[in-house]
Amino acid sequence: NISEDIFSALSETYKTKPSPEDIFYYIYAVLYSNIYREKYAEFLKTDFPRIPFTENGHLFKTLAEYGKRLADLHLMQSPDLETPLVKFQGTGDKRVDIIKYDENSKRVYINKDQYFEELEENVWQYRVGGYQVCDKWLKDRKSRVLALDDTKHYCRVATAIEHTIGIQKSIDEIYNEVEKEYLQFPGKPSD
């Protein structure tokens, strides 16, 4: 569903035709830039996002690579998830009775004896669509007993969030370069 005008303009600018996947991943990276989100927050509440395409082919490729890494994390397909950064500890029946985050110990308790450890506060606080992901996942399972697959999944989700935060920082380190000189497409209004 990518316009031929976009393919033509990018191919001419970069001297090579980007794949549809590279364009998708580039857009994904831009949408995960905190700078982009803050700068266009009001506009994003009322309209579809407008994506600035950089004139710099190397920058385009770098952002596409970040976008691919993000997509792999969010689809739970990243090799970075094979060794979770968060672990489930304690003895008991794994019933979610209480949900309490302790910032000093970096633990989120699900009952008085069991918890996920090494959960950084910025991971605990991370939001998607207004929801605090790690908290909501547990709240949705309140009064249930977690299976082994559930605890493994939670550890992988928290790990994905931690890697996402790191990639977002890397994107933000270069994002301002995107808006210095970006492509104007024929027939499209400039911002």
Side-chain angles (χ1 to χ4, degrees), residues 61 107 124 142 148 178:
K61 202 71 168 155
R107 294 176 177 171
W124 174 250
K142 188 100 180 200
L148 179 60
V178 168

Side-chain angles (χ1 to χ4, degrees), residues 4 26 57 66 76 80 86 92-93 110 123 128 137 179 188-189:
E4 274 305 314
Y26 173 86
Y66 284 139
M76 306 304 276
D80 291 337
V86 173
D93 66 0
I110 64 165
V123 173
V128 172
W137 193 93
E179 293 197 13
K188 302 290 182 201

Side-chain angles (χ1 to χ4, degrees), residues 63-184:
L63 284 167
E65 289 168 6
Y66 284 139
K68 173 143 181 40
R69 287 179 56 202
L70 285 169
D72 287 347
L73 284 167
H74 301 159
L75 293 170
M76 306 304 276
Q77 296 174 346
S78 172
D80 291 337
L81 301 176
E82 295 307 314
T83 307
L85 303 172
V86 173
K87 296 181 179 26
F88 185 72
Q89 301 291 341
T91 56
D93 66 0
K94 299 181 191 165
R95 181 174 304 279
V96 181
D97 287 329
I98 60 160
I99 301 165
K100 179 180 173 243
Y101 181 74
D102 182 337
E103 60 207 35
N104 295 323
S105 64
K106 298 179 186 174
R107 294 176 177 171
V108 60
Y109 287 86
I110 64 165
N111 58 47
K112 67 182 185 78
D113 298 315
Q114 295 178 297
Y115 53 88
F116 293 92
E117 70 177 356
E118 298 305 320
L119 193 98
E120 298 293 334
E121 186 171 6
N122 61 346
V123 173
W124 174 250
Q125 296 292 338
Y126 195 84
R127 293 180 177 276
V128 172
Y131 293 104
Q132 193 175 330
V133 178
C134 291
D135 184 47
K136 179 160 178 28
W137 193 93
L138 290 170
K139 281 182 179 172
D140 288 347
R141 288 151 183 84
K142 188 100 180 200
S143 300
R144 284 185 31 201
V145 173
L146 299 179
L148 179 60
D149 284 345
D150 293 330
T151 59
K152 286 181 179 180
H153 183 73
Y154 188 86
C155 292
R156 288 171 54 93
V157 166
T159 300
I161 292 170
E162 190 159 337
H163 286 298
T164 295
I165 291 168
I167 293 169
Q168 284 181 285
K169 287 178 184 172
S170 296
I171 291 168
D172 285 342
E173 288 173 6
I174 60 175
Y175 179 77
N176 286 325
E177 293 298 313
V178 168
E179 293 197 13
K180 280 189 178 174
E181 291 187 32
Y182 60 93
L183 294 171
Q184 298 292 321

